[in-house]
Structures are given as C-alpha cells and as structure tokens.
Amino acid sequence: MREVDAGAAVAALLGLALWIAPGPPSLQRLRAWGRSTRPAAGGRRIIVACAVVSAVAAVVLWGAASAVCIVMGTATIMHLRSRRAAVARGRAAAAELASALEIVVAELRVGAHPGRACAVAALHARRGAVSGRLARASAQAQLGGAISRVLAAGDGATAGARRTGQSWPAGGRNAEACGSDADWRRIAVVWAVAERRGIALGGLLDAARADLAVRVSFRRRAESGLAGARSTATILAALPVVGVGFGHLMGAAPLAVLTGGGAGGFLLVAGVLLDCAGLVWAERIMSGTAR
C-alpha cells in the first residue's frame, strides 16, 4: 500500500517538476511548439507529449500494463476530439455554403450572370473551401465552361475515395470533407438541371439553399439534444475509476492488485479497453443519430 502511495506521489511530483522547471526561454519555446497555425494540431501535440511522459513514468513505477492503459486512453481521447471537431467543421462549412448560396440567389434575381454571382459570393465568403470553389466556378464561367462541373469536383480525399470505389472515406477529416462534398454535389446537380432544361436557376438554387439551411438547423438541434447523452456516457465511463477509489478507501487495495502485474495487470488492461470501446461506440451511435 505504501509503495503504491509513494509511486503516485512521485508521479505527481514529476509532472509538477516538468511544468515548473523550464525557465522563461524554454517555457516560451514549449508553448510555441504547442501552438500551431491549426489549433487542433497544437492540441494533439500537447496530448501526445503528456501521454509519452506519463507512459514512461508508468512503466518505471507500475509496469507495462499501466503504460498500455495510458496509450489506449490517449488514443481514445484523440479519436473523440478528432471526430467531434470534424462534425463541427462540417456543420460550419454547410452553414457557410448556405450563406454563400443566398448571395448567389440574390445576384441572379437582379439579373447578374451566374459567373458574376459566384464571384460576388466568393468575395463575401470567408476565405476557405467555399470561397475557393466559387472563385473557380466563376473563372470556369468566364472561360465558357460548365459551372456545375467545378461545383461537383471534390477535394483530394473525396476524389481519391471515388476512384477507389468508396462512397465515404474513413477518418474524421475525410468524413468532414465527404459531408461537405455531398452538399456541393447537390448544388451541382441543381445547377446542371437548370442549364440543361432551361429552368430559372434562381428558384432552384433558393430551394436547395432552404433545404441545406433546414438540414444545418436540424444537425444543430440534434447535437444540442445529445449533450445530455454524451455527459451520461462520460459519467458511466468514469464510474470504474470511482469504484477503484472507494475500494482503496475501504482498504481493499485495488491499486496494488491492478498495478502488481500478473492477473491484476490483465484485468487493468481489459477494463480500460472495454471502457474506451464503450466511449467510442457511444459516440458513433450519437453521431449517426445527429446525421
């Protein structure tokens, strides 16, 4: 018991020393390394660095089983962060596309050329995928090409998936790109129908914009409604840790058993694995519901 308590104290002091020890220049370099032009990348670097330090300390103090548990927990946290960030980026891209379509429809209704309407929408949109694709569509119209082809052309991830026969690339960022690209393909189909059949483009695009806005609103309401379910899943995942704490207070010494190697180490790895799998599975179910 005393050895386990001493090991926990040493680990806490080691973490505190790593946080306090660097002087101002070193600390500035550490923070600059954590920051990035992409905040998500900086966050991942910090998580990985903390996980590596914790895993090394766990191997020294408690053995390989504890390090494996730390690695599994870190992988689960990074996966959930990436998945939720991809959903948020996809939702923001869809909302930005709906706003850009509103500008395009307004320009078309006052008699502007479709290429000119796309150029105005690209100027008003925030710099990114939406403004870039609308600018390419405007350039294509000036060259006499079909705007619908540019709108339907996907990014590298979705184009690669289409070549390999996959309808939905794997991974958080690719899933976000696919969701955004599906919205663009709907707009391209509407645009192509108007070009081929001679139907008023403004009315069709306005209907497509209204449909996209409704879907964005539904996704937001669904995500808000799932906040309670996500909190419940997190609490349930933390209950085993609470149980270990109660066992320690009762004098059963569960930490000594779990970190003592042998069957205890196997039980520790199995428990953490099931806990992480439950979190990932719950997030997958909730993400499917909000789609």
Side-chain angles (χ1 to χ4, degrees):
M1 177 75 67
R2 291 180 179 177
E3 293 180 357
V4 174
D5 293 340
V10 169
L13 292 174
L14 177 62
L16 184 62
L18 289 173
W19 178 253
I20 296 176
S26 301
L27 189 57
Q28 289 178 2
R29 288 196 299 270
L30 181 63
R31 289 175 178 172
W33 177 74
R35 290 194 301 266
S36 175
T37 54
R38 300 179 57 183
R44 283 194 298 271
R45 289 178 177 179
I46 293 174
I47 293 175
V48 171
C50 293
V52 170
V53 173
S54 301
V56 172
V59 169
V60 174
L61 297 174
W62 302 302
S66 301
V68 171
C69 293
I70 291 174
V71 171
M72 288 191 296
T74 304
T76 302
I77 292 173
M78 294 182 65
H79 172 75
L80 295 179
R81 280 169 51 92
S82 175
R83 194 178 185 93
R84 292 176 185 177
V87 171
R89 287 193 300 267
R91 190 168 59 245
E96 188 176 355
L97 176 57
S99 300
L101 286 177
E102 188 174 0
I103 297 175
V104 172
V105 170
E107 291 292 324
L108 291 174
R109 284 179 174 172
V110 298
H113 187 271
R116 173 61 182 170
C118 290
V120 172
L123 289 176
H124 285 81
R126 187 178 60 183
R127 177 170 295 186
V130 174
S131 63
R133 196 174 298 198
L134 287 174
R136 291 196 301 271
S138 176
Q140 183 78 359
Q142 293 177 4
L143 295 175
I147 294 180
S148 58
R149 292 185 179 179
V150 178
L151 297 180
D155 297 330
T158 51
R162 209 174 292 125
R163 285 194 300 269
T164 56
Q166 298 176 0
S167 58
W168 216 260
R173 293 183 195 168
N174 293 342
E176 171 219 340
C178 245
S180 167
D181 200 57
D183 295 331
W184 281 106
R185 285 198 297 270
R186 293 188 188 96
I187 304 303
V189 168
V190 169
W191 206 296
V193 169
E195 289 176 343
R196 294 173 186 172
R197 305 300 180 186
I199 306 174
L201 180 59
L204 288 180
L205 281 182
D206 192 30
R209 180 204 60 78
D211 174 71
L212 180 59
V214 169
R215 285 188 284 110
V216 169
S217 177
F218 169 77
R219 291 170 188 168
R220 285 176 177 168
R221 291 196 305 269
E223 288 291 332
S224 299
L226 289 172
R230 285 196 170 96
S231 300
T232 302
T234 304
I235 292 173
L236 291 176
L239 284 180
V241 180
V242 177
V244 171
F246 276 119
H248 186 71
L249 292 176
M250 295 170 59
L255 291 178
V257 175
L258 294 175
T259 59
F266 174 78
L267 292 175
L268 178 62
V269 173
V272 173
L273 177 62
L274 292 175
D275 209 11
C276 294
L279 281 174
V280 173
W281 187 250
E283 180 65 26
R284 182 171 183 177
I285 292 174
M286 289 181 283
S287 298
T289 304
R291 224 173 252 172

